[in-house]
Amino acid sequence: MPNPQEVLPLPSRPSLERYKKLAKELVKVFKSGQETAVGEWTNRWIEALAKHTGGERSSIDKIRDANRTERFALEKLSEGYTLSNAQFVIARSHGFESWPKFAKHLGALAKRDSSVTRFEAAADAIVTGKMTVLKRLLRQDPKVVHMRSTREHRATLLHYVGANGVENYRQKSPKNIVQITNLLLKAGADIDAPADIYGGGATTLGLASTSIHPELAGVQEALLQTLLDHNATIDQPGDAGNNDPAVLGCLANGRIKAAVFLASHGAGLTLESAAGIGRLDLVQSYFGGDGTLKPNATNKQMRSGFLYACGYGHTKIVEFLLNKGIDLSTHGDDRQTGLHRAVIGGHLDTIRLLLQRNPLLEAKNIYGGTVLDQALWSAAHGGDPEHYIKIIETLIAAGAELPQRHVPVNRRIDDWLEKYGSHAEPMWYWSVDEKPRT
C-alpha cells in the first residue's frame, strides 16, 4: 500500500488457504474485464473482515479501506494479472512486505503458543489498556518485550504506546497507557529502540510526541514525562521519523503542546523550531547587531520558522521576521503562504498583521486554493463558524475576491455569504475544473 500505516486488520483466526482462494478470486474478477468487478470484490472482502474483527470499523473506515484497496489492486494487476501480483496485493494490504512473509506470519499465528501469537496479543492488550492480559503474556514469555513485529515497520511492543506509525487500527491511547509503559520498561523494553517507521529511526518518544491520540486522551505529557524519567534520549537523530528531531516533528504534525513540553525539558532548538514554539527571545538571538543572521542559523530555517509562527499564531515573531526582510510570498512545498497558514490556524491577529503588509491575496496553494478558499475549507472542516466569519470578513475587506457561488460550508457561514452575494451550490453542481480545491 502507498501508506504502510493504512492497513487492514486480520481476522481473529486467519486462514492461509482462505487467502490463497481470495487471491485466485481477485485474478479471476480482474480478468473478467467488468468495470465494477474489482470494486465489488474489494467490498466483499472488507465486509467479511469487518465481521471477523468484531465489527469495530466504522462505515467511513470501511469505505476508505475499500477505495484504497481497490485502487491498489487495479494498479498492481494492471502490471500483470498474475496470481503472484494478487497475492502481493493481499499481503501489502495487511502490512507485510511480501506474500512469503505474510504466509509465514499466518503460519505462526496458527500456533497458539508461538512468539508471534503472543506478540500480537500483547500489542492488542497495549492499545486496549488490558494490563492483566499484558502482564500474563510477559510472564509467559519474557522475551516478547524484545521482539519486533513481523510487519514492515518492525516495531517493538513499546512503540505501540506511541499510537503512531504502526497499523492504523492499533493507533489508540487508553487512559492507563502510562501504567502500561511502566510495565513494559520494567520488563526490559529498549526505550530508545528505533523502528522502520516514517523513513526509519523513529523512537517511542518521537512517535508519542507527534501523535494526536495521546493528546486527545489527555495523557501525552504524562507519557512523555514517563519516557524521559526512564532516560529516553530527547534528541536522538530522526526520532520523530522523516529525519526530524522530535520538536520539529511535533510542529509538523500540529502537536504544539508536546513541542513546548520537549523544549522545556532540554530538547535542542534551532531558529526554525524556536519560532514554531513562540520563543521570541531565542529567535532574536539568531540575529546579529546588524540585523543579519548569525552563522548558526540559515535562511531556510528562517523561512520555515516564519511559516510555523504564522500557523501557530506567534504574531510578535511574525512581525519580527517581517522586519528582518522575510518575503511575504514565502511558502512550503504545499505552496501554503504564511497567510494561508494563519488562516488554517484561525489566528485573526496574525492575519491582520500580514494583511497590513499587502500580501498577494490570490496566491494559490497546490490544491488551487486562495486564502479565502482556505478559510472556507477550514470553516467547513471543524473551524468555529463565528470566528471564521470574522476571518472571511477581514479578508474580503482587504480585497479578497468572493466567488459568486461556493461549495456548501455550513449553514451559518452559507447564510452569511448569501448576504454578500455568494450562493452555495450542491456538491454535484461543481465540475472537476470549477470546484475550489483547498
Side-chain angles (χ1 to χ4, degrees):
M1 298 287 276
N3 185 338
Q5 284 74 48
E6 294 175 338
V7 298
L8 303 176
L10 284 168
S12 56
R13 295 182 181 178
S15 164
L16 181 58
E17 290 305 313
R18 176 70 188 97
Y19 274 108
K20 287 180 179 178
K21 292 179 181 178
L22 194 65
K24 290 178 181 178
E25 289 175 10
L26 176 55
V27 174
K28 184 177 179 180
V29 299
F30 188 85
K31 282 183 176 180
S32 73
Q34 296 179 16
E35 187 175 349
T36 61
V38 173
E40 291 169 357
W41 173 89
T42 303
N43 286 328
R44 289 195 300 272
W45 182 23
I46 299 301
E47 285 296 333
L49 280 178
K51 284 183 180 179
H52 291 92
T53 53
E56 294 183 2
R57 308 293 279 166
S58 69
S59 296
I60 293 176
D61 285 335
K62 288 189 287 186
I63 291 171
R64 287 174 178 167
D65 287 343
N67 291 341
R68 190 164 52 237
T69 306
E70 179 186 1
R71 288 194 301 270
F72 180 51
L74 287 170
E75 178 184 337
K76 189 63 184 176
L77 288 167
S78 293
E79 299 172 5
Y81 39 85
T82 63
L83 181 60
S84 62
N85 278 348
Q87 290 175 335
F88 181 75
V89 167
I90 290 171
R92 294 293 291 133
S93 296
H94 280 300
F96 295 86
E97 296 168 288
S98 67
W99 176 263
K101 290 184 178 181
F102 178 57
K104 184 178 180 180
H105 180 85
L106 295 189
L109 287 181
K111 302 173 183 176
R112 294 185 61 184
D113 61 346
S114 74
S115 57
V116 171
T117 298
R118 289 199 180 102
F119 182 95
E120 293 295 310
D124 284 335
I126 289 168
V127 302
T128 54
K130 295 178 180 178
M131 281 277 289
T132 302
V133 174
L134 183 58
K135 286 179 180 179
R136 174 174 55 78
L137 291 165
L138 291 171
R139 187 169 55 250
Q140 289 174 345
D141 187 356
K143 293 181 180 179
V144 74
V145 78
H146 303 295
M147 282 184 58
R148 289 184 175 271
S149 171
T150 55
R151 289 179 173 81
E152 69 170 298
H153 53 63
R154 302 285 295 159
T156 66
L157 289 176
L158 188 63
H159 287 108
Y160 280 89
V161 309
N164 192 0
V166 297
E167 47 274 24
N168 55 358
Y169 58 89
R170 279 176 167 161
Q171 293 182 25
K172 302 175 184 177
S173 293
K175 292 293 186 180
N176 63 344
I177 196 63
V178 171
Q179 290 82 358
I180 285 173
T181 302
N182 278 313
L183 175 62
L184 291 168
L185 291 169
K186 185 177 180 180
D190 181 354
I191 198 164
D192 283 333
D196 297 334
I197 293 173
Y198 303 135
T203 66
T204 302
L205 180 71
L207 295 173
S209 62
T210 55
S211 175
I212 192 173
H213 303 293
E215 180 181 300
L216 292 178
V219 297
Q220 190 165 51
E221 289 193 7
L223 176 57
L224 297 180
Q225 187 64 63
T226 298
L227 294 169
L228 293 175
D229 288 345
H230 285 82
N231 300 315
T233 302
I234 200 168
D235 273 328
Q236 185 161 310
D239 55 2
N242 300 317
N243 294 317
D244 284 335
V247 173
L248 277 182
C250 290
L251 293 173
N253 286 278
R255 308 278 76 78
I256 181 65
K257 291 181 181 178
V260 172
F261 177 88
L262 291 177
S264 70
H265 285 72
L269 296 174
T270 62
L271 168 57
E272 179 182 16
S273 51
I277 65 170
R279 289 290 303 274
L280 177 59
D281 58 328
L282 289 181
V283 170
Q284 292 171 331
S285 73
Y286 285 101
F287 292 83
D290 60 355
T292 61
L293 282 174
K294 291 181 179 179
N296 62 340
T298 67
N299 283 307
K300 182 179 179 181
Q301 290 174 349
M302 182 168 70
R303 290 192 296 270
S304 181
F306 170 74
L307 293 175
Y308 278 132
C310 290
Y312 287 111
H314 304 313
T315 307
K316 290 183 178 180
I317 291 177
V318 172
E319 183 176 25
F320 176 81
L321 292 176
L322 286 171
N323 290 337
K324 293 300 179 184
I326 193 79
D327 190 339
L328 269 175
S329 64
T330 294
H331 58 76
D333 293 340
D334 54 7
R335 300 194 67 81
Q336 302 274 28
T337 64
L339 187 54
H340 279 97
R341 298 284 186 96
V343 166
I344 292 170
H347 303 298
L348 189 54
D349 287 345
T350 307
I351 292 168
R352 286 170 173 160
L353 171 66
L354 291 167
L355 291 174
Q356 290 173 11
R357 305 298 178 105
N358 298 316
L360 184 60
L361 294 174
E362 302 309 311
K364 295 182 179 181
N365 56 26
I366 59 172
Y367 311 107
T370 65
V371 289
L372 185 57
D373 292 330
Q374 182 62 66
L376 295 175
W377 189 95
S378 297
H381 290 78
D384 174 45
E386 298 305 321
H387 186 64
Y388 269 93
I389 283 175
K390 293 178 183 177
I391 290 174
I392 295 167
E393 199 169 35
T394 300
L395 292 173
I396 292 173
E401 296 181 14
L402 185 66
Q404 291 184 345
R405 49 192 168 84
H406 62 272
V407 173
V409 180
N410 58 53
R411 178 166 293 181
R412 177 70 182 91
I413 289 181
D414 289 341
D415 289 347
W416 185 88
L417 290 172
E418 185 82 22
K419 295 178 182 178
Y420 283 81
S422 182
H423 309 289
E425 301 286 359
M427 292 295 291
W428 55 263
Y429 180 90
W430 296 87
S431 72
V432 173
D433 292 331
E434 289 179 313
K435 181 180 175 182
R437 292 163 294 166
T438 57

mmCIF file with all atom_site columns, all heavy atoms in Angstrom, residues 204-217:
data_model
loop_
_atom_site.group_PDB
_atom_site.id
_atom_site.type_symbol
_atom_site.label_atom_id
_atom_site.label_alt_id
_atom_site.label_comp_id
_atom_site.label_asym_id
_atom_site.label_entity_id
_atom_site.label_seq_id
_atom_site.pdbx_PDB_ins_code
_atom_site.Cartn_x
_atom_site.Cartn_y
_atom_site.Cartn_z
_atom_site.occupancy
_atom_site.B_iso_or_equiv
_atom_site.pdbx_formal_charge
_atom_site.auth_seq_id
_atom_site.auth_comp_id
_atom_site.auth_asym_id
_atom_site.auth_atom_id
_atom_site.pdbx_PDB_model_num
ATOM 1  N N   . THR A 1 204 ? 10.067 5.594  20.439 1.00 0.00 ? 204 THR A N   1
ATOM 2  C CA  . THR A 1 204 ? 8.787  5.719  21.141 1.00 0.00 ? 204 THR A CA  1
ATOM 3  C C   . THR A 1 204 ? 8.534  7.167  21.552 1.00 0.00 ? 204 THR A C   1
ATOM 4  O O   . THR A 1 204 ? 7.419  7.671  21.435 1.00 0.00 ? 204 THR A O   1
ATOM 5  C CB  . THR A 1 204 ? 8.750  4.807  22.374 1.00 0.00 ? 204 THR A CB  1
ATOM 6  O OG1 . THR A 1 204 ? 8.967  3.455  21.958 1.00 0.00 ? 204 THR A OG1 1
ATOM 7  C CG2 . THR A 1 204 ? 7.418  4.890  23.088 1.00 0.00 ? 204 THR A CG2 1
ATOM 8  N N   . LEU A 1 205 ? 9.567  7.858  22.027 1.00 0.00 ? 205 LEU A N   1
ATOM 9  C CA  . LEU A 1 205 ? 9.411  9.261  22.425 1.00 0.00 ? 205 LEU A CA  1
ATOM 10 C C   . LEU A 1 205 ? 8.977  10.111 21.228 1.00 0.00 ? 205 LEU A C   1
ATOM 11 O O   . LEU A 1 205 ? 8.052  10.927 21.332 1.00 0.00 ? 205 LEU A O   1
ATOM 12 C CB  . LEU A 1 205 ? 10.722 9.808  23.002 1.00 0.00 ? 205 LEU A CB  1
ATOM 13 C CG  . LEU A 1 205 ? 10.675 11.270 23.449 1.00 0.00 ? 205 LEU A CG  1
ATOM 14 C CD1 . LEU A 1 205 ? 9.838  11.409 24.709 1.00 0.00 ? 205 LEU A CD1 1
ATOM 15 C CD2 . LEU A 1 205 ? 12.086 11.814 23.685 1.00 0.00 ? 205 LEU A CD2 1
ATOM 16 N N   . GLY A 1 206 ? 9.633  9.914  20.090 1.00 0.00 ? 206 GLY A N   1
ATOM 17 C CA  . GLY A 1 206 ? 9.283  10.677 18.899 1.00 0.00 ? 206 GLY A CA  1
ATOM 18 C C   . GLY A 1 206 ? 7.884  10.386 18.415 1.00 0.00 ? 206 GLY A C   1
ATOM 19 O O   . GLY A 1 206 ? 7.146  11.295 18.023 1.00 0.00 ? 206 GLY A O   1
ATOM 20 N N   . LEU A 1 207 ? 7.492  9.117  18.447 1.00 0.00 ? 207 LEU A N   1
ATOM 21 C CA  . LEU A 1 207 ? 6.152  8.740  17.994 1.00 0.00 ? 207 LEU A CA  1
ATOM 22 C C   . LEU A 1 207 ? 5.077  9.272  18.935 1.00 0.00 ? 207 LEU A C   1
ATOM 23 O O   . LEU A 1 207 ? 4.049  9.788  18.495 1.00 0.00 ? 207 LEU A O   1
ATOM 24 C CB  . LEU A 1 207 ? 6.049  7.216  17.879 1.00 0.00 ? 207 LEU A CB  1
ATOM 25 C CG  . LEU A 1 207 ? 6.936  6.564  16.809 1.00 0.00 ? 207 LEU A CG  1
ATOM 26 C CD1 . LEU A 1 207 ? 6.866  5.044  16.927 1.00 0.00 ? 207 LEU A CD1 1
ATOM 27 C CD2 . LEU A 1 207 ? 6.531  7.017  15.415 1.00 0.00 ? 207 LEU A CD2 1
ATOM 28 N N   . ALA A 1 208 ? 5.307  9.130  20.232 1.00 0.00 ? 208 ALA A N   1
ATOM 29 C CA  . ALA A 1 208 ? 4.313  9.567  21.219 1.00 0.00 ? 208 ALA A CA  1
ATOM 30 C C   . ALA A 1 208 ? 4.133  11.079 21.199 1.00 0.00 ? 208 ALA A C   1
ATOM 31 O O   . ALA A 1 208 ? 3.023  11.587 21.382 1.00 0.00 ? 208 ALA A O   1
ATOM 32 C CB  . ALA A 1 208 ? 4.720  9.107  22.611 1.00 0.00 ? 208 ALA A CB  1
ATOM 33 N N   . SER A 1 209 ? 5.211  11.813 20.957 1.00 0.00 ? 209 SER A N   1
ATOM 34 C CA  . SER A 1 209 ? 5.126  13.276 20.981 1.00 0.00 ? 209 SER A CA  1
ATOM 35 C C   . SER A 1 209 ? 4.473  13.846 19.732 1.00 0.00 ? 209 SER A C   1
ATOM 36 O O   . SER A 1 209 ? 3.948  14.968 19.757 1.00 0.00 ? 209 SER A O   1
ATOM 37 C CB  . SER A 1 209 ? 6.525  13.884 21.152 1.00 0.00 ? 209 SER A CB  1
ATOM 38 O OG  . SER A 1 209 ? 7.369  13.537 20.065 1.00 0.00 ? 209 SER A OG  1
ATOM 39 N N   . THR A 1 210 ? 4.465  13.106 18.630 1.00 0.00 ? 210 THR A N   1
ATOM 40 C CA  . THR A 1 210 ? 3.891  13.614 17.376 1.00 0.00 ? 210 THR A CA  1
ATOM 41 C C   . THR A 1 210 ? 2.521  13.023 17.069 1.00 0.00 ? 210 THR A C   1
ATOM 42 O O   . THR A 1 210 ? 1.943  13.314 16.028 1.00 0.00 ? 210 THR A O   1
ATOM 43 C CB  . THR A 1 210 ? 4.836  13.322 16.199 1.00 0.00 ? 210 THR A CB  1
ATOM 44 O OG1 . THR A 1 210 ? 5.127  11.913 16.150 1.00 0.00 ? 210 THR A OG1 1
ATOM 45 C CG2 . THR A 1 210 ? 6.153  14.073 16.358 1.00 0.00 ? 210 THR A CG2 1
ATOM 46 N N   . SER A 1 211 ? 1.990  12.216 17.972 1.00 0.00 ? 211 SER A N   1
ATOM 47 C CA  . SER A 1 211 ? 0.697  11.563 17.751 1.00 0.00 ? 211 SER A CA  1
ATOM 48 C C   . SER A 1 211 ? -0.447 12.370 18.349 1.00 0.00 ? 211 SER A C   1
ATOM 49 O O   . SER A 1 211 ? -0.330 12.920 19.447 1.00 0.00 ? 211 SER A O   1
ATOM 50 C CB  . SER A 1 211 ? 0.704  10.166 18.371 1.00 0.00 ? 211 SER A CB  1
ATOM 51 O OG  . SER A 1 211 ? -0.575 9.573  18.273 1.00 0.00 ? 211 SER A OG  1
ATOM 52 N N   . ILE A 1 212 ? -1.560 12.400 17.644 1.00 0.00 ? 212 ILE A N   1
ATOM 53 C CA  . ILE A 1 212 ? -2.732 13.110 18.156 1.00 0.00 ? 212 ILE A CA  1
ATOM 54 C C   . ILE A 1 212 ? -3.482 12.302 19.219 1.00 0.00 ? 212 ILE A C   1
ATOM 55 O O   . ILE A 1 212 ? -4.174 12.853 20.074 1.00 0.00 ? 212 ILE A O   1
ATOM 56 C CB  . ILE A 1 212 ? -3.699 13.461 17.008 1.00 0.00 ? 212 ILE A CB  1
ATOM 57 C CG1 . ILE A 1 212 ? -4.771 14.449 17.488 1.00 0.00 ? 212 ILE A CG1 1
ATOM 58 C CG2 . ILE A 1 212 ? -4.327 12.195 16.396 1.00 0.00 ? 212 ILE A CG2 1
ATOM 59 C CD1 . ILE A 1 212 ? -5.663 14.977 16.393 1.00 0.00 ? 212 ILE A CD1 1
ATOM 60 N N   . HIS A 1 213 ? -3.318 10.972 19.205 1.00 0.00 ? 213 HIS A N   1
ATOM 61 C CA  . HIS A 1 213 ? -4.144 10.118 20.071 1.00 0.00 ? 213 HIS A CA  1
ATOM 62 C C   . HIS A 1 213 ? -3.855 10.307 21.560 1.00 0.00 ? 213 HIS A C   1
ATOM 63 O O   . HIS A 1 213 ? -4.799 10.478 22.349 1.00 0.00 ? 213 HIS A O   1
ATOM 64 C CB  . HIS A 1 213 ? -3.988 8.661  19.651 1.00 0.00 ? 213 HIS A CB  1
ATOM 65 C CG  . HIS A 1 213 ? -4.344 8.434  18.217 1.00 0.00 ? 213 HIS A CG  1
ATOM 66 N ND1 . HIS A 1 213 ? -5.634 8.576  17.738 1.00 0.00 ? 213 HIS A ND1 1
ATOM 67 C CD2 . HIS A 1 213 ? -3.581 8.118  17.136 1.00 0.00 ? 213 HIS A CD2 1
ATOM 68 C CE1 . HIS A 1 213 ? -5.652 8.350  16.444 1.00 0.00 ? 213 HIS A CE1 1
ATOM 69 N NE2 . HIS A 1 213 ? -4.423 8.069  16.047 1.00 0.00 ? 213 HIS A NE2 1
ATOM 70 N N   . PRO A 1 214 ? -2.588 10.303 22.011 1.00 0.00 ? 214 PRO A N   1
ATOM 71 C CA  . PRO A 1 214 ? -2.365 10.569 23.438 1.00 0.00 ? 214 PRO A CA  1
ATOM 72 C C   . PRO A 1 214 ? -2.759 11.985 23.837 1.00 0.00 ? 214 PRO A C   1
ATOM 73 O O   . PRO A 1 214 ? -3.175 12.214 24.976 1.00 0.00 ? 214 PRO A O   1
ATOM 74 C CB  . PRO A 1 214 ? -0.864 10.319 23.618 1.00 0.00 ? 214 PRO A CB  1
ATOM 75 C CG  . PRO A 1 214 ? -0.267 10.362 22.255 1.00 0.00 ? 214 PRO A CG  1
ATOM 76 C CD  . PRO A 1 214 ? -1.338 9.915  21.325 1.00 0.00 ? 214 PRO A CD  1
ATOM 77 N N   . GLU A 1 215 ? -2.673 12.930 22.897 1.00 0.00 ? 215 GLU A N   1
ATOM 78 C CA  . GLU A 1 215 ? -3.099 14.293 23.216 1.00 0.00 ? 215 GLU A CA  1
ATOM 79 C C   . GLU A 1 215 ? -4.599 14.334 23.467 1.00 0.00 ? 215 GLU A C   1
ATOM 80 O O   . GLU A 1 215 ? -5.067 14.916 24.443 1.00 0.00 ? 215 GLU A O   1
ATOM 81 C CB  . GLU A 1 215 ? -2.722 15.247 22.083 1.00 0.00 ? 215 GLU A CB  1
ATOM 82 C CG  . GLU A 1 215 ? -3.154 16.685 22.362 1.00 0.00 ? 215 GLU A CG  1
ATOM 83 C CD  . GLU A 1 215 ? -2.802 17.637 21.239 1.00 0.00 ? 215 GLU A CD  1
ATOM 84 O OE1 . GLU A 1 215 ? -1.609 17.770 20.924 1.00 0.00 ? 215 GLU A OE1 1
ATOM 85 O OE2 . GLU A 1 215 ? -3.730 18.262 20.679 1.00 0.00 ? 215 GLU A OE2 1
ATOM 86 N N   . LEU A 1 216 ? -5.376 13.697 22.568 1.00 0.00 ? 216 LEU A N   1
ATOM 87 C CA  . LEU A 1 216 ? -6.824 13.682 22.727 1.00 0.00 ? 216 LEU A CA  1
ATOM 88 C C   . LEU A 1 216 ? -7.249 12.930 23.987 1.00 0.00 ? 216 LEU A C   1
ATOM 89 O O   . LEU A 1 216 ? -8.262 13.266 24.603 1.00 0.00 ? 216 LEU A O   1
ATOM 90 C CB  . LEU A 1 216 ? -7.478 13.053 21.492 1.00 0.00 ? 216 LEU A CB  1
ATOM 91 C CG  . LEU A 1 216 ? -7.367 13.847 20.189 1.00 0.00 ? 216 LEU A CG  1
ATOM 92 C CD1 . LEU A 1 216 ? -8.010 13.083 19.043 1.00 0.00 ? 216 LEU A CD1 1
ATOM 93 C CD2 . LEU A 1 216 ? -7.998 15.228 20.325 1.00 0.00 ? 216 LEU A CD2 1
ATOM 94 N N   . ALA A 1 217 ? -6.473 11.914 24.346 1.00 0.00 ? 217 ALA A N   1
ATOM 95 C CA  . ALA A 1 217 ? -6.792 11.142 25.547 1.00 0.00 ? 217 ALA A CA  1
ATOM 96 C C   . ALA A 1 217 ? -6.368 11.854 26.829 1.00 0.00 ? 217 ALA A C   1
ATOM 97 O O   . ALA A 1 217 ? -6.666 11.384 27.933 1.00 0.00 ? 217 ALA A O   1
ATOM 98 C CB  . ALA A 1 217 ? -6.130 9.764  25.464 1.00 0.00 ? 217 ALA A CB  1
#
